Amino acid sequence: MTSSPVVDLRDYRSFCFRGEGQANLVISAKHAATGSRIAKSERVNKYMERIITPFIEPQFRVNPHIVELKIRDVHHLAKVPSLPADEKVETFDELVQLPDELSFLPFSAIPKGTKRLGCLQMLDATSIPNTVLTKTENTITIEVKPKQGFFQNHPNFNVPYCNNCILQIEKCGSGRFSEMYDFCPLDLYSGNYGRMRHSLESLFRDPHRNLRVFVNGYLVHCDKKTVEQSDFDETFFPDRRAKLDDLYHALCLVLSGSDENSPFQLHDSSVLGQILTAQKIDSIGLGRAFSLYNALPGNVKAEILDKTRLARKGLDAILSPAKNDAQNLIERYLVSATMKDCSIMVSLKLVSPSSGEYPSDVVTLANGTRFAYSIKIVDLDPKTPKHIQNAYTRLSAGLKILRIGIEQGVRRKPCVPPESVENV
Ligand SMILES: [Zn+2]
C-alpha cells in the first residue's frame, strides 16, 4: 500500500453520499481539475480481480485504483453519509467545519499511529465517459438490481415462485402480500421483449430496492422518493425530444444486447447475459447450500468463513470439475451469490440524429431516436456463509407467508409454470 498515490481531498468538490454496500460506503466527489471521481471503501480486496473480473467484459467493469487518504481527511469525509439524502457539500473545508459527531469514523476509533487509509477510487457510473456530446441533454442513469435470472427449486419447497419473488413476499409481510410489486427477474432475463419491458415498467412504478434513477448524477426516483408516472417525460426530457416509451425501449435493447435489425433475444455477450452465465455456476441453490453448509464439520466451516479464502483460491480451482465436494459446491454458490446481488448502472443521453461522431456506444431506435450509453456492473461484494443463513431465514419466512396467502386465496402470478416445478 505504500506505493499507492496519496490523494488530497482539497482538490475535490461536491461531496455526496451515494449509497452503502455490504463492505463499502460510496461517496462521490468531483476532481476540480480532471472531473474524475473518488469513492471510499472500508475494505480493499482481491476478490474482484481474481474471481469476478473473468466473468465480465472490460466495457462493463469499473476498474478501481487504490489510493491513500490522510486519516484525518477520512474522518471528515465519513461525515457525508450522515447528511440528508442527496445533499452535496461543495468544498472539503465546509466538510471540516461540520461537527465531528457526524462522522462514521470518530477520532476515538482510529488506532494510534494510523496516518493513512487505503480507498478505492473509481469512475462515476452515473456519467458517460469521454463524451463530447451536447451539454443540454440530461444524462439519465438507471441503476437496476436484476437479482437471480433463473429458477432454482429448494428441498421440500415445491412452489412455482423464484427466489426474488419469495424474498419479496417476506419483505412485504403477510398483510400486504397482495400489494407486492410485479417485477420478476425471470421476466427481465427472459429474452422476450414483452416480458422484459413489463418487468422494467413494474420497477419504475414500484422501485422497492431494485431500482434507482439519477438525472445528471442526482437521485430523482427510488423507493423513498418517487416521481409521479405522469411526470417522467418532463423529468427526463424537458425539451420533449423523446419520451419515457423511448427510454424503456432503449433499456430493453442495451440490457439484452439486441438491436432493431434482428429478432429480439438475450445475447450471451450482453450485460444480463454475462451476469446470468456467472450466476449459473451455482448448481445447488439456496436451500441446498444451507443444508450442506450446516452439515459440514466445524473446521471446514471455519475455512469457508475466512473472507479472503475465495480470492486466494482463485476462480479456476473453484470451478474445477474434478472437485465436487460440499465445500466446493458452497464456494461456487457464494461466487454466484455475488452475481445474484450485483447492480447494473445504465447511463443514457439523447444525441441528435444528425450529429457526427460518438466516442461512446450508441443505440438507435426504429423511430430514429438515438442514445449514447454506457453500462457498468457495480456492488460486486464478496459473500460469506452469513449471507446463506440470512437469505435462508428470509426464504423460509417468505414461504410460510406464501402458503398462508395461497390458503386464503390471494393470487400472485407464478414465476414459472406450476407443472414445470419438480420435487427435489
Ligand atoms: Zn419471480
Side-chain angles (χ1 to χ4, degrees):
M1 296 280 280
T2 44
S3 59
S4 310
V6 181
V7 163
D8 188 349
L9 288 172
R10 282 149 199 88
D11 294 339
Y12 287 75
R13 57 186 166 78
S14 297
F15 296 86
C16 183
F17 185 51
R18 274 293 169 67
E20 194 168 354
Q22 284 186 327
N24 306 305
L25 294 173
V26 180
I27 294 168
S28 76
K30 218 176 178 102
H31 190 274
T34 65
S36 76
R37 288 173 182 248
I38 188 164
K40 171 187 168 294
S41 162
E42 269 175 39
R43 179 151 55 101
V44 177
N45 58 60
K46 290 261 165 209
Y47 181 72
M48 238 327 255
E49 208 175 288
R50 297 214 53 205
I51 304 294
I52 297 302
T53 294
F55 288 113
I56 305 173
E57 297 272 346
Q59 81 259 29
F60 299 139
R61 282 185 222 146
V62 181
N63 292 325
H65 307 281
I66 298 172
V67 296
E68 290 194 0
L69 297 176
K70 288 180 199 138
I71 197 77
R72 290 191 73 85
D73 287 359
V74 179
H75 162 78
H76 294 305
L77 191 64
K79 295 172 185 172
V80 178
S82 302
L83 301 175
D86 221 32
E87 185 172 310
K88 286 191 179 179
V89 172
E90 209 39 45
T91 68
F92 191 71
D93 287 336
E94 283 171 53
L95 211 49
V96 173
Q97 304 298 323
L98 293 175
D100 286 343
E101 306 86 82
L102 291 181
S103 180
F104 276 65
L105 183 70
F107 283 123
S108 59
I110 300 170
K112 266 211 152 43
T114 309
K115 294 207 167 73
R116 289 178 185 161
L117 191 74
C119 295
L120 294 178
Q121 179 173 22
M122 58 187 100
L123 175 119
D124 185 356
T126 66
S127 69
I128 300 177
N130 303 324
T131 43
V132 291
L133 306 165
T134 159
K135 292 260 190 310
T136 58
E137 297 295 346
N138 285 330
T139 300
I140 305 154
T141 304
I142 294 92
E143 181 183 359
V144 184
K145 225 177 220 322
K147 305 306 287 188
Q148 179 169 341
F150 66 107
F151 182 78
Q152 276 179 312
N153 210 346
H154 310 286
N156 309 319
F157 294 152
N158 200 17
V159 290
Y161 297 97
C162 77
N163 280 16
N164 176 76
C165 293
I166 297 171
L167 294 175
Q168 196 60 40
I169 288 166
E170 189 269 333
K171 263 187 202 162
C172 288
S174 51
R176 296 189 292 131
F177 165 46
S178 55
E179 291 168 26
M180 225 179 92
Y181 67 177
D182 266 347
F183 170 74
C184 172
L186 305 189
D187 290 332
L188 182 68
Y189 290 83
S190 65
N192 173 294
Y193 182 80
R195 287 179 65 187
M196 185 177 190
R197 177 143 173 171
H198 173 76
S199 71
L200 288 169
E201 290 181 12
S202 305
L203 279 185
F204 271 74
R205 225 176 9 249
D206 212 347
H208 283 241
R209 292 295 182 85
N210 298 73
L211 179 89
R212 294 197 301 168
V213 185
F214 302 82
V215 172
N216 300 327
Y218 285 91
L219 181 63
V220 296
H221 185 59
C222 67
D223 203 18
K224 298 195 180 91
K225 175 180 177 181
T226 49
V227 174
E228 287 298 320
Q229 207 66 12
S230 54
D231 293 337
F232 276 129
D233 282 343
E234 171 72 31
T235 306
F236 298 146
F237 310 109
D239 295 340
R240 303 297 163 120
R241 296 211 293 126
K243 288 193 160 73
L244 178 62
D245 189 63
D246 298 320
L247 188 71
Y248 284 142
H249 192 51
L251 276 174
C252 287
L253 293 177
V254 301
L255 286 172
S256 67
S258 295
D259 61 46
E260 294 280 40
N261 304 318
S262 45
F264 189 88
Q265 59 173 295
L266 183 70
H267 291 264
D268 289 344
S269 58
S270 69
V271 66
L272 282 177
Q274 289 183 22
I275 291 174
L276 186 61
T277 303
Q279 289 180 355
K280 284 187 169 172
I281 65 165
D282 165 38
S283 59
I284 54 176
L286 177 55
R288 256 162 297 180
F290 178 80
S291 40
L292 278 181
Y293 178 74
N294 282 314
L296 287 174
N299 62 325
V300 182
K301 273 188 188 163
E303 271 181 42
I304 301 180
L305 274 169
D306 177 355
K307 286 178 182 168
T308 61
R309 180 184 160 78
L310 291 175
R312 276 190 288 116
K313 196 166 176 184
L315 190 60
D316 287 347
I318 293 169
L319 295 183
S320 163
K323 292 186 186 154
N324 246 331
D325 54 14
Q327 185 171 350
N328 219 257
L329 292 172
I330 290 167
E331 285 169 349
R332 278 180 223 168
Y333 176 85
L334 290 173
V335 173
S336 166
T338 291
M339 304 304 292
K340 291 171 182 173
D341 206 31
C342 69
S343 300
I344 305 172
M345 310 268 296
V346 188
S347 289
L348 297 137
K349 185 170 186 159
L350 262 185
V351 290
S352 92
S354 55
S355 50
E357 271 183 36
Y358 305 107
S360 50
D361 290 320
V362 170
V363 59
T364 305
L365 312 188
N367 66 8
T369 306
R370 308 182 81 185
F371 291 96
Y373 70 95
S374 134
I375 301 178
K376 299 289 171 196
I377 304 176
V378 297
D379 293 347
L380 292 159
D381 300 320
K383 305 290 179 196
T384 66
K386 215 172 87 193
H387 168 84
I388 300 179
Q389 306 275 7
N390 292 343
Y392 186 81
T393 306
R394 290 180 43 219
L395 187 84
S396 311
L399 279 158
K400 237 178 242 157
I401 295 168
L402 188 63
R403 285 208 185 105
I404 296 167
I406 290 168
E407 277 166 24
Q408 291 173 346
V410 183
R411 304 240 176 278
R412 172 175 169 84
K413 192 172 76 68
C415 305
V416 292
E419 60 276 14
S420 72
V421 181
E422 283 170 33
N423 260 316
V424 285

